[in-house]
Amino acid sequence: MTPFQFSTVQELVEKASYEGTTISQIVAQWEVETSNLSREKIFEKMSNNWKVMKKSIEEGLQKEGQTMGGLVNKAAAHMYNAILTGIVPQDRLSKTIYKALAVAEFNASMGCIVAAPTGGSCGIIPAVLSTAQEEYNFNDEQIVWSLFTAAGIGLVIAEKASVSGAEGGCQAECGSAAAMAAAALVELLGGPPQKVATAAALALKNALGLVCDPVGGLVEVPCIKRNSFLAVNSLVAADLAMAGIPSLIPIDEVITAMGEIGRALPESLRERAQGGLAATPTGKKYKNE
Amino acid sequence: MIGVFYVSERGMKMSVFDILGPVMVGPSSSHTAGAVNIGRVARQVFGEKPDKAEITLYGSFADTYKGHGTDRALVAGIMGFKTDDPRIKDALAIADEEGLLIHFSTSKEGTYHPNTVRIKLSNKFQSSEIVGVSIGGGRVRIREVDKFKVDISGIYNTLLCSYPDQMGVIAKVSEILASEKINIATMSVSRDKTYQIALMVVEVDGELPDQAVNQIKAMPYFDTVKAIRKIEL
């Protein structure tokens, strides 16, 4: 028997619905069949990713000093203190924000992270899932399974569009991460496969057109704070989907649109640090350090 | 279609761990993790501990290498560190302690890819030079080895054999690999400008045990035989 293959999110939804299971189980099975690794082994590898993600939140929060390029100075710690002192309310939103900042800032300080799907977008998935773990008491095993759902969405995006800022702008990095995080969150919350796909569609739609214009070519401005914005974007998408609000445009068509928009972006707005924020008078001061 | 050949339209073997991964020291999968991996290949092509590394950066690597830690990452790779090694951040100081002399330069010359680096490693006895490009997600391609044009992905265990060009050598190498039950994934041969010297690049599925490499080394044809261990992503 030839193993299950997929090129669209819809195929994942149909397969999971037909078998009465989750997208994560379908993706994990696909990985087993295509990698020649055992189910235990791939679960162990994904568990390690989750371990590194959690550690990167903690270490990013405690980190001393500036980022490598010196453009961001302890943003996560500032946000965390604001929560502790009651300046901002302690809730799902503020927790997601500080966690995304912590990971993205840790990345920009040469800390160890999981590219998810890239270094520039590495804070979004850990922030959304770690906050969900805190708020809803999911155990690590549940979270690790949800990462397979995130990866399944990411695989389709990588294939049909791109997850590289140099190819598709920031929508391809942080937009993809937001779609992946929203999908994982809905599955954790018990949403059926169709709602998982809807959440991904809603999250990605709201990131379309986002350009990659990093100041000085560094993964710092606007990247670090954008991780927190796009993590929150995932929460909104997941809430909308869980509430049963559909996406008019299905996820696979949103992905295709994202790829087309990426190709239409001028090169100066695809990680070249030649346009947008990078080309502002202030941004230019940081060119080549 | 994902999964039809288990290879994407871009010629990549796809896995969930290509999307969630690698575990890496930041900030950039292309400018940091990819740089570590190119450094690791350079070290294996050289084959022993170098005294000196001359590194030329091109394109985006040349423009932004300091803020991305590309310099530290390349040197870390040359010292054999992996992409998730926390020592990457201190690689320049560690190299200094170990007596590895490093020289960086940048070039405006056009080359293979926006993220390109040339690494020449040497000690008293020998030197070797590679050109590598970082194509995103920590993935790399090696485009030159000692002036030979090649295309090595680094995701397979790879055998590099140079020899005075003559007939039948490819068959002999395939024979040994087959007898050791090693499947060849890709194979290519390029020759230098004089057409005298050939470089054979063999990427294999699975492991490339020392026993097989040593058998090939023992053959009378080769000037050098080197095994490049695959990059774990």
Side-chain angles (χ1 to χ4, degrees):
Chain A
M1 200 180 98
T2 49
F4 167 71
Q5 293 145 10
F6 63 97
S7 61
T8 62
V9 176
Q10 188 54 33
E11 286 167 278
L12 288 174
V13 170
E14 281 169 14
K15 174 95 169 158
S17 306
Y18 179 74
E19 294 190 4
T21 183
T22 56
I23 290 180
S24 57
Q25 294 303 315
I26 302 294
V27 173
Q29 186 56 33
W30 173 83
E31 183 71 19
V32 168
E33 284 167 4
T34 58
S35 69
N36 297 319
L37 296 176
S38 68
R39 192 176 158 87
E40 290 70 31
K41 182 72 197 163
I42 65 160
F43 188 82
E44 185 193 313
K45 280 181 86 172
M46 198 61 98
S47 298
N48 185 55
N49 279 348
W50 176 234
K51 218 164 77 188
V52 175
M53 284 179 177
K54 283 199 294 188
K55 201 164 165 229
S56 65
I57 294 173
E58 275 171 43
E59 293 193 30
L61 185 60
Q62 288 158 9
K63 174 189 89 61
E64 292 297 326
Q66 296 177 337
T67 49
M68 287 291 290
L71 307 187
V72 176
N73 189 5
K74 299 187 75 171
H78 279 103
M79 185 67 199
Y80 189 66
N81 285 334
I83 297 170
L84 290 184
T85 53
I87 295 171
V88 297
Q90 177 170 2
D91 56 16
R92 191 173 70 140
L93 180 73
S94 62
K95 284 181 192 170
T96 304
I97 294 170
Y98 94 76
K99 288 177 183 196
L101 288 174
V103 179
E105 214 177 334
F106 194 46
N107 176 58
S109 312
M110 297 195 85
C112 191
I113 54 90
V114 182
T118 62
S121 58
C122 67
I124 295 167
I125 293 171
V128 169
L129 297 185
S130 161
T131 304
Q133 184 164 43
E134 251 185 66
E135 295 283 303
Y136 305 99
N137 296 316
F138 294 120
N139 60 34
D140 283 337
E141 193 181 333
Q142 289 172 299
I143 303 275
V144 172
W145 280 122
S146 80
L147 286 171
F148 284 94
T149 298
I153 305 292
L155 277 165
V156 175
I157 297 176
E159 187 64 20
K160 294 285 178 190
S162 172
V163 295
S164 146
E167 282 176 353
C170 190
Q171 54 165 7
E173 295 204 20
C174 288
S176 299
M180 292 160 66
L185 180 54
V186 167
E187 185 172 303
L188 277 169
L189 293 172
Q194 186 55 57
K195 285 188 177 177
V196 170
T198 298
L202 294 170
L204 187 57
K205 273 193 326 194
N206 195 45
L208 291 182
L210 212 48
V211 302
C212 181
D213 54 354
V215 170
L218 304 171
V219 195
E220 301 193 9
V221 175
C223 323
I224 291 173
K225 293 180 200 93
R226 181 159 297 156
N227 269 263
S228 59
F229 281 110
L230 270 286
V232 171
N233 182 55
S234 308
L235 301 184
V236 179
D239 283 358
L240 288 167
M242 286 304 288
I245 299 165
S247 171
L248 178 68
I249 313 295
I251 177 65
D252 292 303
E253 293 181 35
V254 179
I255 291 170
T256 304
M258 190 270 269
E260 279 170 15
I261 293 165
R263 283 187 287 278
L265 287 177
E267 197 170 283
S268 63
L269 297 175
R270 284 188 274 128
E271 214 179 310
R272 300 304 192 279
Q274 288 160 354
L277 295 174
T280 56
T282 303
K284 275 188 196 159
K285 286 188 206 159
Y286 298 94
K287 202 165 179 237
N288 297 340
E289 287 111 302
Chain B
M1 179 187 270
I2 298 166
V4 172
F5 305 105
Y6 314 127
V7 164
S8 84
E9 286 162 17
R10 290 164 205 188
M12 303 285 189
K13 230 191 228 172
M14 293 294 276
S15 149
V16 293
F17 301 107
D18 294 326
I19 298 295
L20 291 177
V23 174
M24 54 169 256
V25 166
S28 162
S29 59
S30 57
H31 286 62
T32 318
V36 172
N37 285 333
I38 295 172
R40 285 174 60 83
V41 174
R43 167 63 177 267
Q44 294 185 72
V45 169
F46 186 64
E48 50 190 277
K49 198 170 176 222
D51 294 336
K52 191 176 172 192
E54 292 159 82
I55 299 172
T56 313
L57 300 153
Y58 302 85
S60 171
F61 266 10
D63 290 342
T64 65
Y65 74 96
K66 281 193 181 146
H68 282 124
T70 308
D71 47 354
R72 306 174 195 216
L74 288 163
V75 170
I78 290 167
M79 293 191 292
F81 299 177
K82 291 186 172 171
T83 54
D84 61 350
D85 195 317
R87 293 175 299 169
I88 292 170
K89 199 172 178 179
D90 306 315
L92 297 179
I94 295 170
D96 197 43
E97 279 164 28
E98 291 191 357
L100 171 61
L101 198 67
I102 307 210
H103 181 262
F104 279 102
S105 59
T106 59
S107 167
K108 295 216 177 294
E109 253 176 75
T111 179
Y112 300 98
H113 184 276
N115 301 327
T116 300
V117 59
R118 182 182 296 275
I119 303 175
K120 185 179 176 191
L121 299 181
S122 57
N123 62 18
K124 287 194 285 244
F125 310 106
Q126 56 155 332
S127 74
S128 76
E129 186 181 280
I130 67 150
V131 175
V133 304
S134 179
I135 58 175
R139 294 179 173 281
V140 304
R141 292 263 169 189
I142 305 305
R143 303 302 304 272
E144 284 182 28
V145 171
D146 294 333
K147 307 285 183 195
F148 287 99
K149 304 269 185 211
V150 297
D151 189 10
I152 302 170
S153 67
I155 60 171
Y156 297 101
N157 286 310
T158 304
L159 196 61
L160 288 182
C161 312
S162 73
Y163 55 99
D165 196 18
Q166 58 177 300
M167 279 185 289
V169 176
I170 296 173
K172 297 285 184 196
V173 170
S174 334
E175 218 170 85
I176 288 181
L177 292 175
S179 73
E180 293 288 323
K181 300 204 164 26
I182 298 166
N183 189 46
I184 295 172
T186 79
M187 187 177 219
S188 67
V189 178
S190 49
R191 289 187 294 188
D192 70 345
K193 283 182 187 141
T194 65
Y195 282 36
Q196 305 286 308
I197 308 292
L199 180 75
M200 185 194 314
V201 178
V202 186
E203 296 183 309
V204 306
D205 291 326
E207 297 305 312
L208 182 58
D210 289 341
Q211 193 193 326
V213 178
N214 289 337
Q215 279 186 58
I216 291 166
K217 275 186 183 163
M219 297 170 98
Y221 315 110
F222 300 112
D223 296 334
T224 62
V225 174
K226 284 166 183 166
I228 316 294
R229 300 297 164 192
K230 72 174 174 184
I231 297 162
E232 300 283 350
L233 285 170

